[in-house]
Amino acid sequence: MSLVHEIDYGTPRVDSATTVTLTIDGRAVTVPEGTSVMRAAMEMGTEIPKLCSTDMLESFGSCRLCLVEIEGRNGTPSSCTTPVTEGMAVRTQTDRLKRLRRGVMELYISDHPLDCLTCAANGDCELQTQAGAVGLRDVRYGYDNKHPAPPKDESNPYFTYDPEKCIVCSRCVRACEEVQGTFALTIAGRGFGSVVSAGMAEEFLASECVSCGACVQACPTATLTEKSVIDIGQPEHSVVTTCAYCGVGCAFKAEMRGDEVVRMVPFKDGKANRGHSCVKGRFAWGYTNHGDRILNPMIRERISDPWREVSWDEAIGRVASEFKRIQGAYGRGAIGGITSSRCTNEETFLVQKLVRAGFGNNNVDTCARVCHSPTGYGLKTTFGTSAGTQDFDSVEHTDVVVVIGANPTDGHPVFASRMKKRLRDGAKLIVVDPRRIDLVRMPHVEADYHLALKPGTNVAVLDAMAHVIVTEGLFDEAFVHERCDWDEFQEWAAFVADPRNSPEEVEKVCGVPAETIRGAARLYATGGNAAIYYGLGVTEHSQGSTTVMAVANLAMATGNIGRPGVGVNPLRGQNNVQGACDMGSFPHELPGYRHISEDATRTIFESLWGAPLDREPGLRIPNMLDAAVEGSFRGLYIQGEDILQSDPNTHHVAAGLAAMECVVVQDLFLNETANYAHIFLPGSTFLEKDGTFTNAERRIQPVRKVMESRSGMEDWQITMAIANAMGFPMTYDHPSEIMDEVAALTPSFAGVSFDKLDRLGSIQWPCDEAAPEGTPVMHIDGFVRGKGRFVITEYIPTDERTGPRFPLLLTTGRILSQYNVGAQTRRTANAAWHQEDRLEIHPNDAEQRGIVEGDWVKLASRTGETTLRATLTERVAPGVVYTTFHHPDTQANVVTTEFSDWATNCPEYKVTAVQVAPSNGPSDWQREYEAQARASRRIAPVAEPAE
Ligand code: SF4
Ligand code: SF4
Ligand code: SF4
Ligand code: FES
């Protein structure tokens, strides 16, 4: 296997319908108008030497190595900055050009240390390659280190900056600006004294740098180099796979040396990320080899016992015998399973199949329950499909970006970079969020409107925007007439037009000035292509499903559906939230969102699976926990999910788990839920298995095994073994066969196969006969459900109210460097950026309580309390506090309540009434919890074999 080679065409691809024909070294070539001469040459296979240009960046024209001759023009223009013209005749290889290029290269080399043999970039250095390409053999001016460079900067945990090797090509600076949009780098100084500088001449770690690595990737020399390359050496082969962190779904080349990952390089052909990445995907893969990984199956009788390592056969046998015993004693419905949005589609499909056909009930649920289940409900009700409407490319055609309840620069950073680029290019921005998220104001991006609403009032604000659109006649009547149910629209229009939904009335509820709401509504309705991007700040509310439908109403009313640049786009948190939902993880839905009570659908599954299916929906996670406490639910198989840490009201989750007789946890680490487990089955990382993930764009992408599973069993094999041990046969040899079964059973996946994924790289469902290569934009000619459905979205305040005891509102979220419950990222050097969860509190609220920066504070709600340290910031409004939930010792969910979305039970994480008070440090229960967790993780020493 060799390194996957991606050609660098020197300058970005140009999309133009008009073409131009020219000749290069006597050969004719036709390219889109606006293409550079360099790119035209590269596309026909003629390489032009270059240093300062790359196809990820706009051309800059500083190095003068790419000179060409053009008939009829004086001089030797740089090919990277010269656009093609019709009939142009270009020469790339004359003696004069060769001489000039050698001269340029000689100057570069004369100021560069000649330690190629011991340089980490040896063999992967463009300066070295281009010196060879121009035929440089002698350097008349020897390197004498006349211009000593500043010292190396090794502050970043993942890459080094060695100024001595810098050729001041500025590619890093431009990558930070154009690709990442952070503007952390500048070229400081002049002439030979020019150096790249992070921030105000700070170290990288202390600067604004977010460690995305775009500069490292762009650097043509060893100046910016991954520390892993310095430690391990140059990679020998690579495999294209998909990031296992967030729902952006970035494609990477896993570059390997033997079976060791050297680095992850964002794949330029990845349609979700277009060659970019964030700090997690590019750098935070070290957890794969972390010492905490559990690699052998383990069992124990009681959760107070130490774990005992056993063989796979014994562990699987124990799962099967315990589950059968429980079903014999308590009934078929006494056990269930939980699928994970971190696992592959194939693994998730198998778990729900095991539950439905092997356990004989529908007690299967997924962690998507606690994040995007309202998206499924809301978009299915209004549009007919439980998924976002666009691809990420769509944002390039957007004139008005609306971000509601999402923080893309932290949660979906690579998509945020694409969004920021569009905003820098002129699109308008509306942010609806209680916090002043980075997008509200950052270098070269500023929101036109920030609706800093009180948590829990999304529906009121969206209804008020609709009020403005309807009462001011800003809706798209032609679109609504043609595409939607007109009677339902009229009912909805009358509802939103009611004075109680006016911005002036809603201001009293949400705290956003009426004029701000009016301005945002007018901009959304009249600003051109308008696209809504939303996150868990929309869904994780008691009115989560209502909010999703209110968003859909706005898009339909203004005709912002069914073409590039518009749409309704849920930004999915975990890598495979979309896929977990698609694969039938909810208790009431079979794969493809078909209700379990539909006889015809069940028959299709029953005949292929050879087992009868229950027509009644099974238990959701909260119902399983309730039933466990009541005594009717006794066994649970949890694949890749840490419900103790991620689900609300931790004490209740713990009580439910503790009440069960057999909890089986399949994961990489002994997570918090495993403290209550009886059987532990070691899982595999995304690097150790084949399969697919589906990102927020409905894009199914391949996950490819780059190393053998360290535990000896891939996750799909474990589920298969449990099924077989329970007497329900499964006989797959490879995940591709599982996907073939998904395709055979699920109309929207009918055309999907691993072979096609290999050929196309990725596929956006629906993929069927009508759309054999997938569907980038949905609802183009009509809604999937037929007519778009307007739903009345009455604002009903949450029952969670502030009062004298709990006067503040807590809302939660995540941070760029960490991922969800932190199981993976806490076990990487990402800890350098975020070692603990902190409570953000407005300085006024802090002052009233005698709290100063960094103080320990007690955060209490009516369900529980925890302790963490305070950060004083005006990012949150007075009356609102905010924290992340990445660290188990904080257990932020101890304080969240059991309130949930009326339609889907998605927990109301985003609104909890709390009080904050000074504290001396971690509370008693936190200390007790930590001691108990430590005890629960004990593993009995393996007995020495007898002589
Ligand atoms: S790592 Fe990313 S954010 Fe940091 S300087 Fe480089 S390009 Fe900019
Ligand atoms: S650090 Fe690398 S990319 Fe940046 S100017 Fe120097 S050589 Fe060019
Ligand atoms: S944006 Fe998401 S998918 Fe992309 S590299 Fe970062 S974590 Fe991975
Ligand atoms: S590559 Fe064209 S001027 Fe540097």
Side-chain angles (χ1 to χ4, degrees):
M1 207 184 301
S2 58
L3 278 166
V4 174
H5 182 61
E6 289 176 287
I7 297 170
D8 184 345
Y9 292 98
T11 63
R13 184 168 55 92
V14 175
D15 285 320
S16 170
T18 315
T19 57
V20 165
T21 300
L22 67 159
T23 59
I24 297 177
D25 297 331
R27 284 168 59 205
V29 58
T30 301
V31 292
E33 187 178 32
T35 302
S36 70
V37 168
M38 172 179 279
R39 182 152 187 134
M42 296 287 200
E43 284 185 3
M44 63 185 277
T46 298
E47 292 207 13
I48 297 180
K50 65 181 188 60
L51 276 177
C52 70
S53 74
T54 159
D55 57 12
M56 290 289 289
L57 303 170
E58 295 302 325
S59 39
F60 191 57
S62 71
C63 75
R64 305 289 299 155
L65 201 65
C66 67
L67 310 175
V68 290
E69 290 176 0
I70 297 175
E71 218 169 85
R73 290 201 198 175
N74 292 331
T76 51
S78 53
S79 60
C80 64
T81 52
T82 306
V84 295
T85 54
E86 187 65 38
M88 183 185 252
V90 179
R91 281 187 300 276
T92 70
Q93 302 296 337
T94 65
D95 287 344
R96 176 168 71 141
L97 290 171
K98 287 177 188 167
R99 200 174 55 250
L100 286 170
R101 287 176 190 152
R102 272 200 293 271
V104 169
M105 183 55 85
E106 193 176 2
L107 288 173
Y108 273 112
I109 294 292
S110 69
D111 199 36
H112 193 88
L114 293 176
D115 58 354
C116 292
L117 282 182
T118 53
C119 177
N122 189 16
D124 183 34
C125 169
E126 290 181 44
L127 188 66
Q128 190 182 44
T129 312
Q130 298 296 349
V134 302
L136 186 69
R137 299 290 171 259
D138 283 321
V139 179
R140 284 165 289 171
Y141 335 101
Y143 175 70
D144 53 8
N145 200 13
K146 256 197 243 132
H147 314 109
K152 270 190 196 175
D153 177 352
E154 303 200 274
S155 61
N156 186 288
Y158 296 117
F159 59 83
T160 60
Y161 168 53
D162 181 358
E164 196 175 29
K165 305 212 159 159
C166 181
I167 58 170
V168 202
C169 65
S170 192
R171 272 164 62 162
C172 54
V173 178
R174 289 179 286 136
C176 193
E177 293 174 4
E178 293 176 29
V179 179
Q180 166 56 25
T182 291
F183 296 82
L185 301 178
T186 48
I187 302 281
R190 308 181 71 166
F192 283 115
S194 304
V195 285
V196 173
S197 169
M200 306 295 285
E202 297 157 301
E203 289 194 320
F204 268 84
L205 191 60
S207 73
E208 293 294 308
C209 166
V210 292
S211 207
C212 70
C215 55
V216 181
Q217 188 174 340
C219 182
T221 66
T223 315
L224 288 160
T225 307
E226 296 92 345
K227 288 182 175 173
S228 55
V229 173
I230 296 171
D231 289 346
I232 304 171
Q234 285 293 322
E236 297 163 327
H237 65 275
S238 61
V239 180
V240 176
T241 188
T242 303
C243 178
Y245 281 120
C246 86
V248 176
C250 298
F252 280 90
K253 286 191 292 176
E255 295 196 344
M256 314 285 296
R257 191 171 178 90
D259 62 357
E260 207 174 356
V261 177
V262 175
R263 64 182 168 194
M264 299 290 282
V265 179
F267 191 46
K268 278 196 297 193
D269 286 343
K271 296 196 177 87
N273 58 320
R274 306 275 181 206
H276 189 35
S277 76
C278 79
V279 60
K280 295 190 287 291
R282 191 191 295 260
F283 294 123
W285 36 268
Y287 66 88
T288 304
N289 298 318
H290 195 279
D292 287 353
R293 275 284 296 276
I294 302 292
L295 301 174
N296 294 307
M298 303 191 296
I299 61 178
R300 58 184 175 181
E301 303 304 320
R302 289 173 298 276
I303 60 172
S304 53
D305 293 344
W307 286 103
R308 185 165 61 84
E309 291 184 353
V310 295
S311 68
W312 274 108
D313 282 350
E314 186 176 346
I316 299 290
R318 176 70 73 96
V319 176
S321 64
E322 277 294 278
F323 280 174
K324 282 199 277 193
R325 178 186 67 75
I326 290 171
Q327 286 192 304
Y330 301 97
R332 203 159 39 106
I335 62 173
I338 295 178
T339 72
S340 171
S341 299
R342 293 182 215 172
C343 291
T344 64
N345 286 317
E346 294 71 17
E347 289 157 357
T348 308
F349 178 84
L350 280 204
V351 173
Q352 64 88 35
K353 178 176 176 179
L354 167 69
V355 172
R356 297 187 200 281
F359 295 178
N361 63 48
N362 291 310
N363 294 335
V364 61
D365 205 0
T366 174
C367 52
R369 161 81 49 223
V370 302
C371 62
H372 267 289
S373 47
T375 290
Y377 181 91
L379 297 186
K380 177 129 198 223
T381 305
T382 48
F383 299 160
T385 302
S386 301
T389 61
Q390 311 295 120
D391 58 3
F392 289 149
D393 286 353
S394 169
V395 77
E396 285 160 23
H397 306 277
T398 298
D399 302 307
V400 180
V401 175
V402 185
V403 176
I404 309 181
N407 185 6
T409 52
D410 280 69
H412 305 86
V414 166
F415 176 65
S417 290
R418 298 184 69 180
M419 183 189 271
K420 285 188 290 183
K421 188 168 196 317
R422 179 66 199 123
L423 292 168
R424 290 197 302 276
D425 288 346
K428 304 285 185 195
L429 174 64
I430 300 167
V431 173
V432 184
D433 200 287
R435 278 174 87 225
R436 206 186 60 221
I437 59 171
D438 285 348
L439 276 178
V440 173
R441 178 180 282 190
M442 63 191 319
H444 305 279
V445 169
E446 184 164 359
D448 297 87
Y449 293 96
H450 176 205
L451 280 57
L453 74 183
K454 187 174 143 197
T457 60
N458 284 333
V459 172
V461 169
L462 293 168
D463 285 348
M465 287 178 68
H467 175 97
V468 177
I469 289 165
V470 167
T471 56
E472 296 186 9
L474 306 178
F475 57 93
D476 185 339
E477 187 171 344
F479 179 91
V480 176
H481 251 303
E482 188 192 331
R483 302 285 303 276
C484 306
D485 185 308
W486 181 250
D487 292 339
E488 281 171 350
F489 169 75
Q490 285 185 311
E491 279 172 38
W492 173 79
F495 157 72
V496 294
D498 189 283
R500 74 181 189 280
N501 290 318
S502 70
E504 289 69 24
E505 284 304 305
V506 167
E507 176 179 345
K508 297 171 193 163
V509 174
C510 71
V512 182
E515 265 318 297
T516 307
I517 299 176
R518 284 191 180 275
R522 288 169 190 146
L523 177 58
Y524 175 72
T526 63
N529 282 342
I532 298 176
Y533 295 89
Y534 72 83
L536 303 184
V538 157
T539 55
E540 290 178 341
H541 287 275
S542 59
Q543 281 203 291
S545 293
T546 316
T547 315
V548 173
M549 293 188 288
V551 164
N553 289 340
L554 278 185
M556 288 188 291
T558 52
N560 278 308
I561 283 286
R563 63 182 185 278
V566 299
V568 173
N569 306 283
L571 294 172
R572 308 295 190 144
Q574 301 191 71
N575 51 324
N576 202 32
V577 175
Q578 182 69 55
C581 300
D582 300 343
M583 291 298 108
S585 292
F586 291 126
H588 66 292
E589 277 173 345
L590 286 158
Y593 304 98
R594 286 161 298 163
H595 203 279
I596 190 76
S597 64
E598 289 169 16
D599 293 340
T601 307
R602 253 192 355 274
T603 306
I604 297 170
F605 282 80
E606 285 173 339
S607 57
L608 196 74
W609 289 353
L613 300 184
D614 193 339
R615 73 183 310 280
E616 292 301 320
L619 300 174
R620 296 171 173 180
I621 294 171
N623 309 127
M624 292 182 201
L625 296 166
D626 291 344
V629 172
E630 286 159 14
S632 59
F633 190 84
R634 311 310 268 168
L636 185 57
Y637 170 43
I638 308 172
Q639 185 185 69
E641 186 52 24
D642 190 359
I643 60 170
L644 190 76
Q645 208 185 331
S646 62
D647 284 36
N649 197 348
T650 309
H651 294 314
H652 181 60
V653 179
L657 290 168
M660 294 186 207
E661 293 176 18
C662 182
V663 174
V664 180
V665 167
Q666 181 174 325
D667 213 318
L668 302 175
F669 306 102
L670 278 173
N671 60 23
E672 304 306 302
T673 306
N675 297 342
Y676 293 85
H678 305 86
I679 302 170
F680 186 87
L681 305 172
S684 298
T685 69
F686 75 114
L687 296 169
E688 298 163 39
K689 58 194 178 188
D690 287 307
T692 56
F693 294 148
T694 306
N695 77 351
E697 313 161 278
R698 297 168 278 105
R699 188 182 297 286
I700 308 159
Q701 306 196 92
V703 177
R704 295 195 179 91
K705 185 161 149 174
V706 304
M707 59 177 72
E708 287 307 315
S709 162
R710 294 186 65 207
S711 69
M713 290 257 278
E714 295 173 37
D715 292 272
W716 61 275
Q717 291 172 318
I718 298 170
T719 309
M720 190 166 83
I722 295 172
N724 287 325
M726 289 192 71
F728 176 70
M730 287 191 190
T731 54
Y732 307 99
D733 287 325
H734 189 267
S736 61
E737 296 169 13
I738 305 172
M739 181 52 85
D740 290 344
E741 186 172 316
V742 173
L745 288 166
T746 314
S748 51
F749 277 66
V752 180
S753 68
F754 275 39
D755 283 346
K756 194 184 274 187
L757 283 166
D758 282 345
R759 189 161 48 80
L760 299 180
S762 64
I763 301 167
Q764 285 178 271
W765 67 257
C767 173
D768 49 23
E769 242 177 69
E773 301 208 338
T775 311
V777 176
M778 293 194 77
H779 316 297
I780 288 181
D781 298 319
F783 287 99
V784 169
R785 72 179 300 281
K787 292 283 186 190
R789 179 171 174 204
F790 281 88
V791 176
I792 304 283
T793 52
E794 188 76 60
Y795 167 61
I796 300 169
T798 168
D799 288 337
E800 180 71 2
R801 306 276 164 86
T802 52
R805 272 183 72 208
F806 302 113
L808 303 171
L809 282 177
L810 169 73
T811 185
T812 60
R814 59 191 221 205
I815 200 161
L816 170 67
S817 56
Q818 296 286 344
Y819 175 68
N820 283 12
V821 297
Q824 294 135 292
T825 42
R826 279 186 285 109
R827 292 179 170 97
T828 68
N830 277 25
W833 289 279
H834 187 79
Q835 284 126 16
E836 60 182 339
D837 293 320
R838 288 245 185 166
L839 186 79
E840 289 188 2
I841 183 167
H842 191 275
N844 295 355
D845 290 327
E847 193 182 354
Q848 281 169 19
R849 291 163 175 78
I851 294 165
V852 298
E853 177 71 26
D855 269 2
W856 282 98
V857 294
K858 185 172 85 176
L859 175 69
S861 74
R862 63 184 168 74
T863 58
E865 62 181 54
T866 189
T867 313
L868 67 175
R869 290 197 294 154
T871 294
L872 275 53
T873 172
E874 291 183 1
R875 281 167 72 94
V876 287
V880 176
V881 290
Y882 167 88
T883 187
T884 49
F885 48 85
H886 302 304
H887 292 268
D889 42 0
T890 314
Q891 291 281 2
N893 283 328
V894 166
V895 297
T896 52
T897 70
E898 71 287 0
F899 289 136
S900 63
D901 174 43
W902 61 272
T904 64
N905 269 153
C906 180
E908 191 174 42
Y909 287 129
K910 301 297 181 189
V911 192
T912 308
V914 294
Q915 178 57 292
V916 176
S919 161
N920 292 327
S923 63
D924 288 347
W925 84 258
Q926 279 170 293
R927 275 190 283 266
E928 276 164 31
Y929 178 86
E930 196 37 50
Q932 189 197 338
R934 260 200 308 276
S936 175
R937 292 190 193 115
R938 280 174 302 139
I939 300 174
V942 180
E944 290 293 325
E947 287 286 317

